[in-house]
Amino acid sequence: MSTVGFIGLGTMGLPMAENLVKAGYDVVGYNRSAKRVDALVAARGRGASSIAEAVKDSDVVITVVPDSPDVEAVVMGEGGIFENSHPGQLVIDMSTIEPATARAVAEAGAKAGVRVLDAPVSGGEAGAVEGVLSIMVGGAAADFAAAKPVLEAVGRTIVHVGPHGAGQTVKAANQLMVAGHLQLLAEALVLAEASDVDPVVAVEVLGGGLAGSTVLDRKSENMLKRDFTAGFRLSLHHKDMGIVTAAAREAGVAIPLGSAVAQLIASLVARGDGGLDHSGLFKLTEELAGRSQ
Amino acid sequence: MSTVGFIGLGTMGLPMAENLVKAGYDVVGYNRSAKRVDALVAARGRGASSIAEAVKDSDVVITVVPDSPDVEAVVMGEGGIFENSHPGQLVIDMSTIEPATARAVAEAGAKAGVRVLDAPVSGGEAGAVEGVLSIMVGGAAADFAAAKPVLEAVGRTIVHVGPHGAGQTVKAANQLMVAGHLQLLAEALVLAEASDVDPVVAVEVLGGGLAGSTVLDRKSENMLKRDFTAGFRLSLHHKDMGIVTAAAREAGVAIPLGSAVAQLIASLVARGDGGLDHSGLFKLTEELAGRSQ
Amino acid sequence: MSTVGFIGLGTMGLPMAENLVKAGYDVVGYNRSAKRVDALVAARGRGASSIAEAVKDSDVVITVVPDSPDVEAVVMGEGGIFENSHPGQLVIDMSTIEPATARAVAEAGAKAGVRVLDAPVSGGEAGAVEGVLSIMVGGAAADFAAAKPVLEAVGRTIVHVGPHGAGQTVKAANQLMVAGHLQLLAEALVLAEASDVDPVVAVEVLGGGLAGSTVLDRKSENMLKRDFTAGFRLSLHHKDMGIVTAAAREAGVAIPLGSAVAQLIASLVARGDGGLDHSGLFKLTEELAGRSQ
Amino acid sequence: MSTVGFIGLGTMGLPMAENLVKAGYDVVGYNRSAKRVDALVAARGRGASSIAEAVKDSDVVITVVPDSPDVEAVVMGEGGIFENSHPGQLVIDMSTIEPATARAVAEAGAKAGVRVLDAPVSGGEAGAVEGVLSIMVGGAAADFAAAKPVLEAVGRTIVHVGPHGAGQTVKAANQLMVAGHLQLLAEALVLAEASDVDPVVAVEVLGGGLAGSTVLDRKSENMLKRDFTAGFRLSLHHKDMGIVTAAAREAGVAIPLGSAVAQLIASLVARGDGGLDHSGLFKLTEELAGRSQ
């Protein structure tokens, strides 16, 4: 299993593909804009000028594209992966999309004789570059076992969480929690500041107790400095909250806090702050307290 | 500064008083029900039969009572601390109450020539027994310095967070975040379970990334086992969310997620689940998804 | 303009088609289950055994089907309306669907040389039977003018509210408000009952002032009698809240109250109460107050 | 029963007192600022220079003051009504305050041998001037019967809704519904505008169906013209939402929509918009959609 077709060489995809090359895989990359393919070739990968070319001689195909419709087009569309794949080929979609779409792709794959896994990641661009992503995988256990060596070239924590779509569900749960933690931290810090409490000391003491969180460790400084350089853009978290909402709706689960924070993120994006880091929830919370700066 | 008057020998107060005895302080304790006083005497403290008796020869007076009206009565009421205190005495209220009440108590103290600190704690009964509480202190810096040796007998992280009331504000911010983290974890886990994801594996992977939190580390097992033995009772968190709501209202801060989770806790208490641990938010979230057991 | 093709003879569609017959139109009806077609024939309409047959000789085609994917299939799918329509034909979709889908259908219609209007209704089964529906129409003014005589056979208030999709947007706004009014009434009545206020008298005085609403006039009795016989089923309102959420997201509008009530409706459906009338929001509100019966 | 003591001659109180004069009552008015007393005297009432003077020879005493602490001071405080009242005197508090405070006042009245009613009003300044207020009365039926002739001089709809505090509960329920209806209308109109729908036509069609409300009839024009001249100020509705929140909390009722809209009103007040009419909720909703003007 040495040749990997790689579709989608964006901010995340390109460093992932490069890490596969470094791990000894023969990587054939395709991207809509050819420049990114050149970058892979410069890193000793091979370039493909079509999906067909990237797929046909590969043992494994990995896709990293922006959203559900992109996955549908690339995998199931005309000239897409399934039209060019061979029986038993393993397709690993590492995009963040709706669990329902992941299940539909897997079902179509079964008809096409192709094995499919959903394997979204967390860890951001830095995690992709360093090859230390967390990867949540949904699909058959045997396929997970087959994929694991490949995934180990790009990630550190690689977990099989359930059947098709389960990887996407866990990613959705992750994004729900992160959005909520950010907003709660913003509410706590704005309350502290509006009450003449030293927020730096507050963060220290809050972080030491039951209120501690990774978001507090990593994002409170951004908030207190009003430095909302992305990082993970609100526009992307907005896309992900759409997936969270759809996943909860499909599963029949009410998410009162999740849906409330989704509205706040939607508002930031509507106001033109989609390019800010998701810690920018602090900015809106401050404005809602009449404390904008 | 060797004699400490101690008012309120409840679940938290008694072990705190005992730790002061162990640290070499002469502790004179008072409690409405005399049994708790006997327990302190058995631990080599001294008993008082009135607030006056506990206050008059003490250098420092500590109060640990349930709610704002209790503090008002014990400190400012008839036969209370201020009526029996002497100039320069240091009163440390370690109850969890409204910041506004803490400020009113401090103001009344200033008129009575008494120094006052608000110093609520987190860490629960276990933290009180082991003497490792986190203590958030509001008041004058000099008074904080004077109080610190005493507080070190009962806590480990002892932080001066701002002027009078600031300790209570930080405690309110803490309870806001904890309630929210619990509910977000519940929403994530119910979503996972309703989507055929293995929740134990989901907790593992969620905890390793940006969604990690102390609540996830300490409370997810309770949720997945449906073991809601308190711990920290929902009825107490409900009281605290009242303080959070009042503090945010007074500070002019909107807390959309805080107020949403306050409603869920209110509902659990209204339904008779106030005696459960606050991780019982999972129970309501599961019922709202039609998955009650 | 005397022949009307009618696709979708369900609870709403059949009485609408019958009213067209009564108004003198030659109605050719098609429905997936043939029984409903027989009912139309018994009412002096004509039956069609395919969409093609209903469309090919009609001046106007009306569709009344459950959801967005149904409209896509019936109008744009294989063997659907556009494949069988002739230039200049007028297609009026009276289903409740996403504004974005309505716009996509209109665009596809333009390519096919067919004029399209979105014209969702309110007024329920009773309004359909009596021919007094409110109809909110989106599309070109000239097409609205052409459609108006036909629509007058099934509705009383017939309004042109804007371009393609605008009818669906107004319907979404309507469902958002209705859901919210129902929930607010439930919160008010449960608060009254839990406070020993006579709710019947409360309804009277609330209805007389600024809190008055059509929902209060028509639904408070259901709530107070706990008679949740549909009426308009929660499962349908749940579908519509999905449309509301999607429409708000697409338009970049935050709907904090709309999204909160959408969660409550989702919860009722998840718990198995989707068959209740939407006034069943009272039932959940009562349970959340620990007052279920 | 011809002499009425009247405490509180503000925007609402003065015209109410004047209407009592017009109806033939001997009205003795007291107000903290003497100017308002002069205005009553100019309208053929009598002036009092203390609460005692207004109370001692009156058959009925009416209070119309801003908030719970004002009622407590005026009725139960030093030099207040109960210190100067005579057995069997009837005290009618027409302020809007917490139901719990109303019950406490009634209880204190019973001890003082005084009959007490809570009788908050709706209808605004215009209703007070024209004597057409709606009055929601809590207390004993016999006392309501005794008060009715007096109340008929200032109101048109006068309803006995339950025991002590019930009038305030219904007023709270009223304010909860009105706030929610305003916000839902704002969400619907901003959604319409952001989707290129003509909002004037939208209002017309929404008002004709199940989404109709008195708020839509009276406040949509303000919203669409961005004319937020009070009217009923947001700062007052904010005070009232504090009462709603406290009443719900005390009654053990979750009010998810009520608490969500309370946050939005709190935000407007925090941002300095407390002087706007409560239809100003539209302004915030528009800003949250990035459409502020």
Side-chain angles (χ1 to χ4, degrees), chain D residues 214-248:
Chain D
T214 310
V215 158
L216 181 140
D217 294 343
R218 294 199 203 157
K219 296 289 183 179
S220 51
E221 203 179 325
N222 297 38
M223 292 188 182
L224 294 179
K225 290 190 175 165
R226 279 82 176 157
D227 172 10
F228 304 123
T229 320
F232 189 74
R233 287 198 305 281
L234 279 162
S235 57
L236 282 171
H237 216 137
H238 180 56
K239 184 211 98 179
D240 289 354
M241 293 313 287
I243 294 170
V244 169
T245 304

Tab-separated table of all heavy atoms in Angstrom, chain D residues 214-248:
chain	number	residue	atom	x	y	z
D	214	THR	N	-51.102	42.265	18.657
D	214	THR	CA	-51.274	43.688	18.928
D	214	THR	C	-49.942	44.416	18.752
D	214	THR	O	-49.905	45.553	18.271
D	214	THR	CB	-51.814	43.872	20.357
D	214	THR	OG1	-52.943	42.999	20.520
D	214	THR	CG2	-52.278	45.300	20.578
D	215	VAL	N	-48.852	43.756	19.138
D	215	VAL	CA	-47.530	44.336	18.932
D	215	VAL	C	-47.279	44.608	17.443
D	215	VAL	O	-46.766	45.664	17.067
D	215	VAL	CB	-46.437	43.397	19.511
D	215	VAL	CG1	-45.074	43.659	18.874
D	215	VAL	CG2	-46.353	43.570	21.028
D	216	LEU	N	-47.637	43.654	16.600
D	216	LEU	CA	-47.467	43.862	15.154
D	216	LEU	C	-48.306	45.056	14.696
D	216	LEU	O	-47.824	45.914	13.940
D	216	LEU	CB	-47.840	42.587	14.402
D	216	LEU	CG	-47.694	42.633	12.869
D	216	LEU	CD1	-47.130	41.317	12.338
D	216	LEU	CD2	-49.022	42.919	12.182
D	217	ASP	N	-49.536	45.134	15.172
D	217	ASP	CA	-50.413	46.247	14.755
D	217	ASP	C	-49.838	47.599	15.172
D	217	ASP	O	-49.902	48.562	14.429
D	217	ASP	CB	-51.807	46.085	15.382
D	217	ASP	CG	-52.537	44.870	14.847
D	217	ASP	OD1	-52.130	44.341	13.790
D	217	ASP	OD2	-53.496	44.421	15.507
D	218	ARG	N	-49.292	47.655	16.400
D	218	ARG	CA	-48.931	48.959	16.939
D	218	ARG	C	-47.457	49.323	16.794
D	218	ARG	O	-47.106	50.488	16.922
D	218	ARG	CB	-49.270	48.991	18.436
D	218	ARG	CG	-50.761	48.914	18.685
D	218	ARG	CD	-51.085	49.410	20.083
D	218	ARG	NE	-52.361	48.854	20.519
D	218	ARG	CZ	-52.723	48.710	21.774
D	218	ARG	NH1	-51.881	49.077	22.742
D	218	ARG	NH2	-53.896	48.220	22.088
D	219	LYS	N	-46.588	48.347	16.623
D	219	LYS	CA	-45.154	48.647	16.710
D	219	LYS	C	-44.385	48.396	15.414
D	219	LYS	O	-43.207	48.769	15.326
D	219	LYS	CB	-44.522	47.808	17.825
D	219	LYS	CG	-45.059	48.145	19.217
D	219	LYS	CD	-44.580	49.509	19.706
D	219	LYS	CE	-45.050	49.815	21.122
D	219	LYS	NZ	-44.562	51.122	21.591
D	220	SER	N	-44.986	47.744	14.412
D	220	SER	CA	-44.202	47.449	13.210
D	220	SER	C	-43.852	48.733	12.473
D	220	SER	O	-42.769	48.834	11.887
D	220	SER	CB	-44.927	46.450	12.302
D	220	SER	OG	-46.236	46.868	12.060
D	221	GLU	N	-44.732	49.727	12.510
D	221	GLU	CA	-44.426	50.977	11.804
D	221	GLU	C	-43.204	51.660	12.434
D	221	GLU	O	-42.313	52.114	11.716
D	221	GLU	CB	-45.643	51.903	11.841
D	221	GLU	CG	-45.613	52.913	10.707
D	221	GLU	CD	-46.843	53.816	10.720
D	221	GLU	OE1	-47.940	53.321	11.082
D	221	GLU	OE2	-46.690	55.013	10.405
D	222	ASN	N	-43.187	51.705	13.776
D	222	ASN	CA	-42.000	52.263	14.453
D	222	ASN	C	-40.737	51.581	13.970
D	222	ASN	O	-39.722	52.217	13.701
D	222	ASN	CB	-42.035	52.011	15.974
D	222	ASN	CG	-43.195	52.678	16.654
D	222	ASN	OD1	-44.282	52.721	16.098
D	222	ASN	ND2	-42.948	53.220	17.849
D	223	MET	N	-40.797	50.236	13.934
D	223	MET	CA	-39.610	49.483	13.538
D	223	MET	C	-39.193	49.837	12.117
D	223	MET	O	-38.035	50.150	11.863
D	223	MET	CB	-39.880	47.975	13.655
D	223	MET	CG	-40.046	47.500	15.108
D	223	MET	SD	-40.136	45.688	15.199
D	223	MET	CE	-40.390	45.471	16.971
D	224	LEU	N	-40.135	49.828	11.204
D	224	LEU	CA	-39.772	50.032	9.797
D	224	LEU	C	-39.317	51.463	9.541
D	224	LEU	O	-38.532	51.718	8.629
D	224	LEU	CB	-40.944	49.646	8.890
D	224	LEU	CG	-41.272	48.145	8.940
D	224	LEU	CD1	-42.446	47.815	8.042
D	224	LEU	CD2	-40.054	47.313	8.544
D	225	LYS	N	-39.802	52.406	10.358
D	225	LYS	CA	-39.344	53.803	10.230
D	225	LYS	C	-38.135	54.103	11.104
D	225	LYS	O	-37.668	55.238	11.130
D	225	LYS	CB	-40.474	54.758	10.632
D	225	LYS	CG	-41.632	54.790	9.659
D	225	LYS	CD	-42.580	55.931	10.007
D	225	LYS	CE	-43.679	56.034	8.964
D	225	LYS	NZ	-44.790	56.868	9.419
D	226	ARG	N	-37.670	53.096	11.841
D	226	ARG	CA	-36.570	53.329	12.801
D	226	ARG	C	-36.899	54.523	13.683
D	226	ARG	O	-36.046	55.367	13.957
D	226	ARG	CB	-35.241	53.587	12.084
D	226	ARG	CG	-34.543	52.333	11.623
D	226	ARG	CD	-35.108	51.863	10.335
D	226	ARG	NE	-34.404	50.701	9.793
D	226	ARG	CZ	-34.996	49.881	8.933
D	226	ARG	NH1	-36.262	50.044	8.567
D	226	ARG	NH2	-34.327	48.854	8.453
D	227	ASP	N	-38.148	54.630	14.089
D	227	ASP	CA	-38.545	55.705	15.007
D	227	ASP	C	-38.787	55.069	16.370
D	227	ASP	O	-39.837	54.492	16.624
D	227	ASP	CB	-39.813	56.400	14.494
D	227	ASP	CG	-40.355	57.378	15.525
D	227	ASP	OD1	-39.674	57.649	16.532
D	227	ASP	OD2	-41.472	57.894	15.303
D	228	PHE	N	-37.776	55.193	17.238
D	228	PHE	CA	-37.841	54.513	18.532
D	228	PHE	C	-38.089	55.505	19.664
D	228	PHE	O	-37.614	55.313	20.792
D	228	PHE	CB	-36.553	53.720	18.759
D	228	PHE	CG	-36.264	52.741	17.658
D	228	PHE	CD1	-35.073	52.782	16.942
D	228	PHE	CD2	-37.206	51.777	17.304
D	228	PHE	CE1	-34.815	51.887	15.923
D	228	PHE	CE2	-36.958	50.872	16.279
D	228	PHE	CZ	-35.757	50.933	15.580
D	229	THR	N	-38.820	56.579	19.360
D	229	THR	CA	-39.218	57.513	20.410
D	229	THR	C	-40.139	56.795	21.387
D	229	THR	O	-41.129	56.201	20.983
D	229	THR	CB	-40.007	58.692	19.793
D	229	THR	OG1	-39.390	59.068	18.565
D	229	THR	CG2	-40.061	59.868	20.747
D	230	ALA	N	-39.791	56.875	22.693
D	230	ALA	CA	-40.668	56.209	23.675
D	230	ALA	C	-41.931	57.051	23.812
D	230	ALA	O	-41.879	58.274	23.686
D	230	ALA	CB	-39.942	56.135	25.014
D	231	GLY	N	-43.078	56.493	24.031
D	231	GLY	CA	-43.420	55.107	24.270
D	231	GLY	C	-42.992	54.558	25.634
D	231	GLY	O	-42.867	55.263	26.612
D	232	PHE	N	-42.810	53.284	25.630
D	232	PHE	CA	-42.422	52.558	26.826
D	232	PHE	C	-40.929	52.276	26.724
D	232	PHE	O	-40.488	51.522	25.859
D	232	PHE	CB	-43.223	51.261	26.948
D	232	PHE	CG	-43.025	50.574	28.267
D	232	PHE	CD1	-43.616	51.072	29.423
D	232	PHE	CD2	-42.230	49.430	28.375
D	232	PHE	CE1	-43.431	50.439	30.657
D	232	PHE	CE2	-42.048	48.798	29.599
D	232	PHE	CZ	-42.650	49.301	30.735
D	233	ARG	N	-40.188	52.891	27.628
D	233	ARG	CA	-38.733	52.856	27.511
D	233	ARG	C	-38.146	51.477	27.789
D	233	ARG	O	-38.589	50.760	28.686
D	233	ARG	CB	-38.097	53.848	28.486
D	233	ARG	CG	-38.283	55.295	28.065
D	233	ARG	CD	-37.289	56.193	28.778
D	233	ARG	NE	-37.360	56.047	30.240
D	233	ARG	CZ	-38.275	56.608	31.015
D	233	ARG	NH1	-39.223	57.357	30.475
D	233	ARG	NH2	-38.265	56.432	32.306
D	234	LEU	N	-37.099	51.145	27.041
D	234	LEU	CA	-36.389	49.881	27.264
D	234	LEU	C	-35.882	49.762	28.697
D	234	LEU	O	-35.870	48.668	29.267
D	234	LEU	CB	-35.209	49.762	26.283
D	234	LEU	CG	-35.603	49.273	24.885
D	234	LEU	CD1	-34.519	49.592	23.883
D	234	LEU	CD2	-35.898	47.771	24.911
D	235	SER	N	-35.470	50.886	29.304
D	235	SER	CA	-34.974	50.803	30.687
D	235	SER	C	-36.081	50.326	31.632
D	235	SER	O	-35.811	49.588	32.580
D	235	SER	CB	-34.420	52.156	31.137
D	235	SER	OG	-35.408	53.150	31.017
D	236	LEU	N	-37.318	50.718	31.356
D	236	LEU	CA	-38.431	50.226	32.182
D	236	LEU	C	-38.732	48.767	31.888
D	236	LEU	O	-39.013	47.975	32.791
D	236	LEU	CB	-39.687	51.073	31.935
D	236	LEU	CG	-39.693	52.420	32.642
D	236	LEU	CD1	-40.864	53.280	32.163
D	236	LEU	CD2	-39.794	52.217	34.165
D	237	HIS	N	-38.678	48.395	30.613
D	237	HIS	CA	-38.920	46.982	30.284
D	237	HIS	C	-37.810	46.107	30.872
D	237	HIS	O	-38.051	44.965	31.258
D	237	HIS	CB	-39.060	46.788	28.773
D	237	HIS	CG	-40.071	45.740	28.422
D	237	HIS	ND1	-40.996	45.848	27.417
D	237	HIS	CD2	-40.332	44.528	29.005
D	237	HIS	CE1	-41.745	44.762	27.379
D	237	HIS	NE2	-41.356	43.940	28.326
D	238	HIS	N	-36.597	46.671	30.936
D	238	HIS	CA	-35.478	45.955	31.580
D	238	HIS	C	-35.789	45.727	33.061
D	238	HIS	O	-35.599	44.617	33.584
D	238	HIS	CB	-34.207	46.795	31.423
D	238	HIS	CG	-32.990	46.186	32.024
D	238	HIS	ND1	-32.530	44.934	31.690
D	238	HIS	CD2	-32.115	46.658	32.949
D	238	HIS	CE1	-31.432	44.670	32.377
D	238	HIS	NE2	-31.165	45.686	33.148
D	239	LYS	N	-36.247	46.750	33.730
D	239	LYS	CA	-36.657	46.593	35.131
D	239	LYS	C	-37.719	45.499	35.222
D	239	LYS	O	-37.650	44.605	36.077
D	239	LYS	CB	-37.246	47.916	35.651
D	239	LYS	CG	-37.620	47.915	37.132
D	239	LYS	CD	-38.823	48.847	37.448
D	239	LYS	CE	-40.119	48.032	37.530
D	239	LYS	NZ	-41.322	48.818	37.846
D	240	ASP	N	-38.692	45.553	34.321
D	240	ASP	CA	-39.775	44.566	34.367
D	240	ASP	C	-39.279	43.151	34.069
D	240	ASP	O	-39.785	42.178	34.644
D	240	ASP	CB	-40.879	44.959	33.381
D	240	ASP	CG	-41.648	46.192	33.850
D	240	ASP	OD1	-41.396	46.669	34.978
D	240	ASP	OD2	-42.503	46.686	33.098
D	241	MET	N	-38.301	43.004	33.179
D	241	MET	CA	-37.776	41.662	32.901
D	241	MET	C	-37.042	41.118	34.129
D	241	MET	O	-36.979	39.901	34.331
D	241	MET	CB	-36.855	41.663	31.680
D	241	MET	CG	-37.567	41.959	30.353
D	241	MET	SD	-39.099	41.038	30.033
D	241	MET	CE	-38.448	39.396	29.686
D	242	GLY	N	-36.489	42.014	34.944
D	242	GLY	CA	-35.939	41.579	36.227
D	242	GLY	C	-37.031	40.985	37.111
D	242	GLY	O	-36.836	39.958	37.769
D	243	ILE	N	-38.192	41.607	37.094
D	243	ILE	CA	-39.338	41.088	37.861
D	243	ILE	C	-39.804	39.757	37.281
D	243	ILE	O	-40.071	38.802	38.012
D	243	ILE	CB	-40.486	42.124	37.860
D	243	ILE	CG1	-40.045	43.369	38.641
D	243	ILE	CG2	-41.768	41.518	38.418
D	243	ILE	CD1	-40.991	44.540	38.517
D	244	VAL	N	-39.872	39.681	35.950
D	244	VAL	CA	-40.297	38.441	35.281
D	244	VAL	C	-39.345	37.301	35.671
D	244	VAL	O	-39.785	36.205	36.040
D	244	VAL	CB	-40.281	38.631	33.740
D	244	VAL	CG1	-40.442	37.293	33.025
D	244	VAL	CG2	-41.364	39.614	33.315
D	245	THR	N	-38.059	37.568	35.587
D	245	THR	CA	-37.060	36.546	35.901
D	245	THR	C	-37.191	36.087	37.348
D	245	THR	O	-37.171	34.888	37.639
D	245	THR	CB	-35.640	37.123	35.659
D	245	THR	OG1	-35.566	37.601	34.310
D	245	THR	CG2	-34.573	36.078	35.887
D	246	ALA	N	-37.353	37.050	38.257
D	246	ALA	CA	-37.492	36.710	39.676
D	246	ALA	C	-38.779	35.928	39.926
D	246	ALA	O	-38.792	34.954	40.687
D	246	ALA	CB	-37.467	37.979	40.521
D	247	ALA	N	-39.862	36.338	39.273
D	247	ALA	CA	-41.146	35.656	39.471
D	247	ALA	C	-41.080	34.221	38.963
D	247	ALA	O	-41.587	33.291	39.609
D	247	ALA	CB	-42.265	36.426	38.761
D	248	ALA	N	-40.457	34.039	37.795
D	248	ALA	CA	-40.346	32.689	37.237
D	248	ALA	C	-39.475	31.818	38.133
D	248	ALA	O	-39.788	30.652	38.386
D	248	ALA	CB	-39.764	32.746	35.821
